[in-house]
Amino acid sequence: MGYGRVQLDGKYGFVDATGAVTIEPIYDETDDFQDSQADLIAPNFGLTGDDEDILAIVLVGTHYGAIDKTGKFVIEPIYTNDFGFDCGYARVYIDDKCGYIDATGAVVIPIEFDFAYQQGDFFVARRDDTAYAFDETGQVIFSITGDDLDIDDVSSDVIEVYDAERHEHDFLFPNGRRIRGCRRNRLVV
C-alpha cells in the first residue's frame, strides 16, 4: 500500500490510500517515499520495492534523515542537505563536507570531501589537491595529487583526469593502471 504526504499546522506526515494518517505530521519537510535501490523516484502510491528499501527523506529542524514506512528513522537526521538515493547510495553533506551513505545509513565514502559524485561503478571525491576513486565498498582504488586537477569524465571502465599544470589527460582504470600523458591527440604510455 502506498503513502501520500499530508500537511497539518505546518508539519508534514503521511496518509495511506484511504486517507488514514499512517505517520503523524511531525516533520518540518518531507520528500515522497522512494525505493532507495532504484534509480528513479517512485510515485506516491503503488510503490513496488521491498519494504526495507522504501524510505522518505525528512527534515527535522535543520537536518535531514530518512524514515521507513512505519515512521522509524533508518537514517538519523544529521545531514545538512536534502538527499535522494540513486541505486542504493546517496550523497550527503555535513556542513561543507560530503561523502556517500547507503540505504541503511552506513557511510560508504567518508564525509570529509570538498565534492564527491557517483558514476557507474565508481565514486570520485576530492579533498584539497587530491582526487580519489573508490569502488562500491568504499575502498580507495587510487588517488592522484596535483594543484590543478579536474576530473573530466567517469564511466564504469575509466576515469579521465586533466592535469592543468602538465596540460595532459590521465586515464585511470579500476585495477589501478594509469595511462599518463594524453596531449594534443597523442598518448604517452
Side-chain angles (χ1 to χ4, degrees), residues 82-157:
D82 188 2
F83 57 90
F85 286 92
D86 184 9
C87 297
Y89 302 99
R91 179 176 44 206
V92 293
Y93 286 81
I94 295 179
D95 299 323
D96 64 344
K97 297 299 180 187
C98 68
Y100 273 83
I101 61 172
D102 67 18
T104 68
V107 174
V108 178
I109 306 303
I111 304 160
E112 59 189 41
F113 294 96
D114 301 321
F115 79 83
Y117 64 93
Q118 177 186 7
Q119 180 72 36
D121 296 333
F122 292 106
F123 294 93
V124 178
R126 183 174 178 144
R127 180 178 52 233
D128 301 323
D129 65 348
T130 303
Y132 301 84
F134 298 88
D135 66 16
E136 290 179 317
T137 69
Q139 295 297 308
V140 175
I141 300 169
F142 67 83
S143 64
I144 183 170
T145 301
D147 289 335
D148 295 313
L149 290 179
D150 183 24
I151 298 173
D152 293 331
D153 189 28
V154 179
S155 73
S156 61
D157 299 322

Side-chain angles (χ1 to χ4, degrees), residues 8-176:
L8 181 64
D9 297 327
K11 298 288 184 175
Y12 293 86
F14 291 89
V15 296
D16 66 17
T18 69
V21 173
T22 55
I23 298 175
E24 292 294 324
I26 58 172
Y27 304 104
D28 296 305
E29 185 180 299
T30 65
D31 289 344
D32 293 330
F33 276 94
Q34 61 177 299
D35 184 341
S36 63
Q37 301 304 310
D39 57 358
L40 297 172
I41 302 261
N44 290 347
F45 293 98
L47 293 172
T48 58
D50 295 332
D51 279 351
E52 65 271 9
D53 296 334
I54 305 300
L55 302 175
I57 309 305
V58 298
L59 176 65
V60 178
T62 59
H63 292 85
Y64 291 87
I67 59 171
D68 64 15
K69 293 194 307 186
T70 69
K72 178 183 169 213
F73 276 103
V74 175
I75 300 170
E76 292 296 323
I78 62 171
Y79 300 106
T80 54
N81 69 303
D82 188 2
F83 57 90
F85 286 92
D86 184 9
C87 297
Y89 302 99
R91 179 176 44 206
V92 293
Y93 286 81
I94 295 179
D95 299 323
D96 64 344
K97 297 299 180 187
C98 68
Y100 273 83
I101 61 172
D102 67 18
T104 68
V107 174
V108 178
I109 306 303
I111 304 160
E112 59 189 41
F113 294 96
D114 301 321
F115 79 83
Y117 64 93
Q118 177 186 7
Q119 180 72 36
D121 296 333
F122 292 106
F123 294 93
V124 178
R126 183 174 178 144
R127 180 178 52 233
D128 301 323
D129 65 348
T130 303
Y132 301 84
F134 298 88
D135 66 16
E136 290 179 317
T137 69
Q139 295 297 308
V140 175
I141 300 169
F142 67 83
S143 64
I144 183 170
T145 301
D147 289 335
D148 295 313
L149 290 179
D150 183 24
I151 298 173
D152 293 331
D153 189 28
V154 179
S155 73
S156 61
D157 299 322
V158 65
I159 297 175
E160 179 183 354
V161 178
Y162 178 68
D163 185 334
E165 187 175 297
R166 291 185 359 251
H167 304 287
E168 293 180 342
H169 294 262
D170 291 354
F171 296 90
L172 307 160
F173 296 85
N175 64 4

